[in-house]
């Protein structure tokens, strides 16, 4: 009778070892007949040989001995198509025939399926931006972008800027940063619509793609007009009667649209994006309060989808090491915006110092129907709404951002209209794309604030301080007529 011990491999029998540090190689395109290179590390316990089967690729070495070896592959080929093309296969085999491994050698297209433009506005959050881009580099070091590109604009110093592409380099096996354009000095402030559109258009031209996503990082206050701000906004010692006075010692949060004393209205942002002549698949706001229905309604034609927070975003921002892979699935050809939202929430719910992370995904082509549903509620039988009973998303003495769905449901006296509005909310802000921690942090009261109702989007409607400005918004005009 054969025992299991009889089936064990003899301790004296050698273990065959052959390993490669890559599962595949993806070349960039060759430009002006300049070859592109990739390196492959081979670890073996005996002599080996390497054979490339295919076209337009040469090897620096085809044989080697025991230990760790490195060979270089080189090609002058180009890929004018729109998908990955296979140049061939590389097989490494031990000379005694005991083991072999084969990897595919591919080349990315000249025009990729998608490019992400990252626009980091201003300099006051630059230390956080630098960390954000370091996390982007960590994500790209795993070679997730054969069919995608990331181009970022930053201002390392006031008045100067640069456009940098972040990509995986097959030759160094790491993320490489290629500076494509330097602005020294910048032609103006990055919150000037003309300057913004010029920079974004240049970024898109430098990384041509079939589709584009746009990431916008700065400070923001949702729909609220730039006129409420002054160049002293960063100082904690603002007038004691200032509604937006930051509590001394509170950790920093973000908002959108500040550069060297110039603030940006949402209408100006819309105008800037229109001038780029790119229909963005999505906008991602790494900024405070931008999941405001008044702001989203203005932006409804600027993108197909929007990722934004209804409250403040901690200055650390989005966790790009996990968010970038969600924005570049399927080798970078596709994106998963729900996963991007989920990864933001998971970071703040599980690992961040402050468990404050709220986010929602907006389906922009559902916003007009949402406005029509809100208009029906306003035109129907309504009830008085006590703002103190509503979920708010700021730490202000007088709240400015209230939960849209809870407000609408308290406003209407018609249950059928309320249910219809709620159904449209789920189309516009899918439940699968709404995430929130149990609380949110606000610099305006320097503490965590409970969340008991969450639809992921805010409205100004029951507030009073900026009523004249609110009545000039497109959302107001469309829902009150």
């Amino acid at each position: 009778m054969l025992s299991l011990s009889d089936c064990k491999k003899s301790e004296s029998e050698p273990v065959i070892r052959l390993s490669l540090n890559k599962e595949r190689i993806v070349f960039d395109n060759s430009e002006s007949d300049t070859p592109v290179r990739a390196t492959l590390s081979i670890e073996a316990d005996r002599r080996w040989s390497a054979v490339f089967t295919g076209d337009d690729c040469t090897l620096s070495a085809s044989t080697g001995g025991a230990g760790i070896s490195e060979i270089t592959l080189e090609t002058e080929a180009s890929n004018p198509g729109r998908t990955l093309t296979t140049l061939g296969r590389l097989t490494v085999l031990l000379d005694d025939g005991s083991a072999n491994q084969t990897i595919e050698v591919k080349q990315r297209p000249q025009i990729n399926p998608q490019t992400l433009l990252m626009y980091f506005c201003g300099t006051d959050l630059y230390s956080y931006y630098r960390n954000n881009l370091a996390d982007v580099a960590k994500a790209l070091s795993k070679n997730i972008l054969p069919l995608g590109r990331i181009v970022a604009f930053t201002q390392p110093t006031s008045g100067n800027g640069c456009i940098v592409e972040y990509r995986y380099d097959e030759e160094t096996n790491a993320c490489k940063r290629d500076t494509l354009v330097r602005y020294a000095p910048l032609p103006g402030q990055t919150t000037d619509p003309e300057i913004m559109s010029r920079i974004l258009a240049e970024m898109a031209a430098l990384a041509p793609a079939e589709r584009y996503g746009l990431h916008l990082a700065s400070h923001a206050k949702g729909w609220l007009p730039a006129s409420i701000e002054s160049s002293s906004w960063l100082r904690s010692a603002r007038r004691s009667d200032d509604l937006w006075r930051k509590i001394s010692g509170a950790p920093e949060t973000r908002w959108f649209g500040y550069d060297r004393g110039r603030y940006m209205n949402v209408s100006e942002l819309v105008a800037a994006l229109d001038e780029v002549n790119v229909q963005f698949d999505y906008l991602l706001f790494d900024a405070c309060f931008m999941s405001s229905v008044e702001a989203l309604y203005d932006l409804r034609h600027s993108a197909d989808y929007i990722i934004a927070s209804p409250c403040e975003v901690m200055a650390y921002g989005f966790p790009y090491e996990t968010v970038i892979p969600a924005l570049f699935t399927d080798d970078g050809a596709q994106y998963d915006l729900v996963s991007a939202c989920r990864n933001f929430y998971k970071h703040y719910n599980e690992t961040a110092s402050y468990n404050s992370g709220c986010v929602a995904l907006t389906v922009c082509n559902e916003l007009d129907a949402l406005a029509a549903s809100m208009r029906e509620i306003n035109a129907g039988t309504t009830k008085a709404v006590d703002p103190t009973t509503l979920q708010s998303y700021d730490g202000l003495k007088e709240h400015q951002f209230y939960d849209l769905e809870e407000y609408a449901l308290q406003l209407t006296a018609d249950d059928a209209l309320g249910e219809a509005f709620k159904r449209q909310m789920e189309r516009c802000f899918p439940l699968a794309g709404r995430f929130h921690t149990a609380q949110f942090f606000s610099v305006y009261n320097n503490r965590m604030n409970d969340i008991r109702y969450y639809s992921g989007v805010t409205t100004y409607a029951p507030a009073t301080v900026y009523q004249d400005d609110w009545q000039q918004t497109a959302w107001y005009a469309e829902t009150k007529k």
Side-chain angles (χ1 to χ4, degrees):
M1 184 174 181
L2 187 67
S3 69
L4 290 177
S5 60
D6 295 327
C7 296
K8 291 181 180 178
K9 182 181 289 188
S10 168
E11 292 183 2
S12 62
E13 185 176 338
V15 177
I16 299 169
R17 187 173 72 248
L18 172 65
S19 63
L20 311 181
N21 72 329
K22 295 180 179 180
E23 296 181 354
R24 66 175 175 178
I25 289 172
V26 182
F27 280 115
D28 286 328
N29 268 274
S30 174
E31 297 182 5
S32 302
D33 296 325
T34 301
V36 289
R37 298 180 177 86
T39 58
L40 179 70
S41 179
I42 302 168
E43 184 176 1
D45 62 355
R46 61 201 72 185
R47 289 196 61 79
W48 54 267
S49 299
V51 178
F52 178 77
T53 305
D55 300 318
D56 303 317
C57 192
T58 59
L59 306 180
S60 62
S62 58
T63 61
I68 299 176
S69 306
E70 192 173 88
I71 64 173
T72 299
L73 291 78
E74 183 176 290
T75 184
E76 293 184 3
S78 61
N79 176 13
R82 294 181 180 269
T83 60
L84 288 175
T85 187
T86 300
L87 297 181
R89 289 171 174 79
L90 176 66
T91 299
V92 179
L93 63 160
L94 300 181
D95 284 0
D96 62 5
S98 58
N100 66 81
Q101 287 193 36
T102 298
I103 61 173
E104 285 193 316
V105 179
K106 294 177 174 287
Q107 189 170 44
R108 60 173 46 91
Q110 291 177 346
I111 298 178
N112 289 273
Q114 68 165 333
T115 289
L116 173 61
L117 309 182
M118 304 187 76
Y119 192 83
F120 292 90
C121 189
T123 59
D124 61 283
L125 289 171
Y126 183 70
S127 62
Y128 296 102
Y129 296 163
R130 191 170 53 207
N131 292 335
N132 294 157
L133 288 168
D135 285 345
V136 170
K138 288 178 185 177
L140 297 193
S141 67
K142 300 170 186 174
N143 196 11
I144 62 171
L145 284 189
L147 289 170
R149 299 178 74 175
I150 294 179
V151 179
F153 168 80
T154 60
Q155 294 172 258
T157 58
S158 181
N160 295 287
C162 57
I163 298 173
V164 177
E165 179 167 8
Y166 286 73
R167 64 181 180 85
Y168 180 80
D169 181 30
E170 288 281 0
E171 188 170 9
T172 61
N173 300 321
C175 178
K176 186 175 182 180
R177 301 161 177 83
D178 294 328
T179 300
L180 306 180
V181 177
R182 291 187 186 276
Y183 300 98
L186 280 163
Q189 292 155 302
T190 54
T191 47
D192 181 324
E194 183 178 344
I195 301 302
M196 174 185 272
S197 61
R198 171 179 164 183
I199 293 172
L200 290 176
E202 190 160 9
M203 293 169 73
L206 289 166
E210 296 174 8
R211 304 185 308 276
Y212 292 89
L214 175 60
H215 156 282
L216 295 163
S218 183
H219 298 285
K221 285 191 177 134
W223 73 274
L224 289 167
S227 59
I228 71 171
E229 282 298 344
S230 69
S231 61
S232 64
W233 74 272
L234 280 174
R235 302 173 192 158
S236 60
R238 296 176 72 164
R239 296 194 334 264
S240 60
D241 62 343
D242 188 340
L243 178 65
W244 297 94
R245 182 175 181 269
K246 173 186 169 183
I247 300 297
S248 179
E252 192 65 80
T253 56
R254 298 188 176 203
W255 50 286
F256 188 78
Y258 173 79
D259 180 19
R260 290 170 287 160
R262 193 192 191 286
Y263 302 85
M264 190 174 216
N265 284 313
V266 174
S267 59
E268 292 181 300
L269 174 59
V270 171
L273 299 184
D274 285 348
E275 286 299 313
V276 180
N277 291 322
V278 169
Q279 175 61 30
F280 293 102
D281 274 31
Y282 63 87
L283 306 180
L284 188 158
F285 283 100
D286 195 348
C288 301
F289 300 124
M290 289 304 293
S291 190
S292 148
V293 73
E294 294 87 359
L296 296 172
Y297 192 72
D298 280 350
L299 289 159
R300 68 193 185 282
H301 300 307
S302 299
D304 298 331
Y305 304 96
I306 296 175
I307 292 175
S309 174
C311 56
E312 290 161 76
V313 176
M314 303 306 296
Y316 173 85
F318 275 60
Y320 293 98
E321 190 172 357
T322 58
V323 168
I324 289 297
L327 297 179
F328 289 95
T329 61
D330 191 21
D331 281 341
Q334 303 296 328
Y335 48 77
D336 184 345
L337 300 183
V338 169
S339 288
C341 293
R342 182 184 299 111
N343 292 346
F344 170 85
Y345 157 76
K346 288 180 67 176
H347 169 78
Y348 282 102
N349 193 53
E350 298 173 5
T351 62
S353 299
Y354 285 81
N355 297 130
S356 175
C358 301
V359 70
L361 174 64
T362 302
V363 180
C364 293
N365 65 8
E366 295 289 348
L367 280 163
D368 281 320
L370 187 69
S373 184
M374 189 74 239
R375 184 170 62 248
E376 288 184 356
I377 287 177
N378 286 329
T381 305
T382 59
K383 300 176 294 185
V385 176
D386 179 0
T388 64
T389 67
L390 296 175
Q391 175 69 54
S392 62
Y393 293 95
D394 59 67
L396 299 166
K397 295 177 182 177
E398 296 180 62
H399 296 307
Q400 306 299 303
F401 297 98
Y402 293 93
D403 192 277
L404 172 63
E405 184 174 277
E406 187 178 30
Y407 165 74
L409 295 181
Q410 287 200 22
L411 178 65
T412 183
D414 187 327
D415 290 345
L417 289 180
E419 287 303 313
F421 184 83
K422 194 170 182 178
R423 288 193 298 272
Q424 185 56 33
M425 282 285 293
E426 292 178 6
R427 298 185 192 99
C428 197
F429 310 98
L431 295 178
R434 301 183 197 177
F435 295 91
H436 71 92
T437 48
Q439 298 176 308
F440 68 88
F441 175 81
S442 177
V443 297
Y444 302 110
N445 60 7
N446 194 21
R447 64 177 175 84
M448 302 296 288
N449 303 269
D450 291 339
I451 297 175
R452 53 164 186 77
Y453 194 105
Y454 187 80
S455 68
V457 60
T458 66
T459 183
Y460 179 80
T464 58
V465 177
Y466 305 109
Q467 272 287 328
D468 289 345
D469 294 300
W470 182 60
Q471 292 176 15
Q472 302 304 311
T473 65
W475 174 260
Y476 178 92
E478 191 62 31
T479 60
K480 293 290 188 177
K481 66 182 182 182

